[in-house]
Amino acid sequence: MKPRVYADGPDSALETLLLPLADGSLSWPREGGALFLRARDGWPLHQRALPGLLCEQSFKPDADALQRSGLALVEADADSRHPLVLVLPPRQREEARALYARAIARTAPGGRVLACVRNDEGAKSGEADLTRLAGPLGQFSKNKCRVFWTAPLDGPADAALFEAWLGLDAPRAIAGGRFLSRPGVFAWDRIDPASALLAAHLPGDLQGAAADLGAGYGYLASELLARCPRIASLDLYEAENRALELARANLAPRAGSVALEFHWHDVTTGLGRRFDTIISNPPFHAQGRADRPDIGRRFITVAAQALNPGGRLWMVANRHLPYEAELLAQKFASVRTVAQDRGFKVFEATRD
């Protein structure tokens, strides 16, 4: 199996995470298997047998990749406990701290937590955080990553801190109470300025069956329904399930006036249905920090395929991404730039 490659290189964190098991620093559990939080697929998971491995992943492309490779997925709200819990923490620190606490909560008595963080994504901070929760750690550095693990645990070293960190990624009100959000989702504690620019220019005559591609916690969908009374139905597509759960809550007041559907879905795989209106603020990063304009281009292609004749795509993008020159003009009968501000641009594209 080829290693998974990101825009800025191989998945070095996944490779380094498993090195203590490969070099004998740690042993794979004889019974009870292991739980892998924020699991990602890749060749290190298939080099040797890992009996009883269970994977948890809320990001749909990664979850799909794990399933395709034959690995077992579990729901995020499961409460089983395991002799080994593996963690690939996210960059957002509050979300990462909550994940460390949840890893300890899912560790059986005498079990260990094993984590790895890239140096450029906060490895030292991650190690310090787990130390505060669990006490002294084993660790080493390789592949520009730091891998670290606890001693056998019987609960957290700091019970008060553990309880506080468990709730760090809980949903909370933002934007003056207009929306619920949580650490780790896109623009979690604010209204994203690109989305706000798109919302401000949505025309009131958008109508029919609509879709929001990459819906996040539901800001754009909410604005579309507030500004466009002729929208009959709205489908929200979002790859991060933690964000989609928020969108369900944020759009609940609209459920009585318009048909709503929520899809935990990787938009780049296609939609399989048609719409009259599509709105989108496509992601332009994936794993790593490098620009990924290929994701936005794929969103545009999928939107063109999913629009009915005469259907309209309204989208916003970073000004430096050349979507209109490379793709929009090829896929749509007409394209116009509606607005440009603060490094972003809004397009309307109409299908013939």
Side-chain angles (χ1 to χ4, degrees):
M1 176 176 293
K2 293 182 179 179
R4 180 176 177 178
V5 176
Y6 297 93
D8 52 355
D11 192 348
S12 53
L14 175 61
E15 178 181 354
T16 309
L17 176 70
L18 297 182
L19 289 181
L21 296 163
D23 69 9
S25 299
L26 298 176
S27 300
W28 190 260
R30 294 183 178 180
E31 297 182 359
L35 175 66
F36 190 177
L37 302 180
R38 286 284 176 170
R40 298 195 294 263
D41 188 36
W43 64 266
L45 291 179
H46 304 276
Q47 277 191 310
R48 53 185 287 239
L50 301 175
L53 176 64
L54 299 175
C55 299
E56 181 188 297
Q57 178 54 258
S58 61
F59 185 57
K60 185 63 170 173
D62 285 340
D64 288 346
L66 290 163
Q67 284 191 308
R68 284 194 301 268
S69 71
L71 295 169
L73 286 178
V74 295
E75 298 291 334
D77 57 358
D79 58 3
S80 58
R81 302 180 73 183
H82 304 265
L84 178 64
V85 178
L86 308 166
V87 187
L88 286 176
R91 281 185 295 192
Q92 210 287 332
R93 196 167 189 184
E94 287 182 73
E95 183 191 3
R97 283 175 165 175
L99 194 66
Y100 288 132
R102 197 155 62 83
I104 291 175
R106 302 292 298 276
T107 303
R112 300 177 187 263
V113 174
L114 170 63
C116 183
V117 183
R118 283 173 44 149
N119 292 341
D120 60 359
E121 294 186 355
K124 289 184 178 180
S125 297
E127 182 183 357
D129 284 343
L130 186 56
T131 299
R132 292 178 65 187
L133 278 183
L137 307 177
Q139 68 87 19
F140 63 80
S141 296
K142 192 168 184 178
N143 302 324
K144 299 182 180 179
C145 299
R146 188 178 295 242
V147 59
F148 41 94
W149 58 91
T150 68
L153 294 173
D154 187 15
D158 187 329
L161 188 67
F162 168 76
E163 292 295 335
W165 283 10
L166 272 178
L168 281 179
D169 72 340
R172 66 199 70 178
I174 65 164
R178 288 182 60 201
F179 300 99
L180 287 176
S181 187
R182 67 196 306 178
V185 305
F186 173 68
W188 79 270
D189 58 350
R190 63 194 184 279
I191 304 299
D192 170 58
S195 295
L197 182 65
L198 175 56
H201 289 86
L202 291 174
D205 64 346
L206 294 175
Q207 62 181 332
D212 182 355
L213 309 188
Y217 61 75
Y219 166 74
L220 271 177
S222 179
E223 290 293 302
L224 175 71
L225 295 180
R227 296 166 185 266
C228 307
R230 295 165 64 187
I231 296 295
S233 65
L234 178 58
D235 287 55
L236 287 78
Y237 292 87
E238 172 56 45
E240 177 50 64
N241 201 34
R242 298 172 70 253
L244 191 66
E245 292 172 354
L246 297 165
R248 289 180 188 274
N250 290 325
L251 272 292
R254 296 282 185 176
S257 58
V258 64
L260 297 172
E261 291 192 34
F262 300 85
H263 307 272
W264 184 41
H265 184 73
D266 178 3
V267 168
T268 65
T269 65
L271 302 184
R273 58 197 305 180
R274 291 297 187 94
F275 299 95
D276 303 300
T277 298
I278 292 178
I279 60 172
S280 185
N281 179 3
F284 58 92
H285 293 98
Q287 299 290 338
R289 301 183 182 184
D291 282 357
R292 288 288 306 275
D294 57 299
I295 300 175
R297 286 196 290 265
R298 182 58 187 160
F299 269 53
I300 291 169
T301 297
V302 167
Q305 294 168 344
L307 280 169
N308 289 318
R312 298 155 72 184
L313 167 66
W314 280 75
M315 67 168 285
V316 65
N318 281 34
R319 188 181 294 176
H320 72 277
L321 298 177
Y323 292 141
E324 73 277 21
E326 293 186 1
L327 192 60
L328 282 166
Q330 301 172 19
K331 298 292 184 180
F332 293 88
S334 64
V335 179
R336 68 186 182 100
T337 301
V338 177
Q340 298 190 59
D341 186 40
R342 292 185 292 175
F344 305 109
K345 51 191 175 184
V346 173
F347 300 107
E348 179 191 31
T350 304
R351 190 177 177 200
D352 58 11

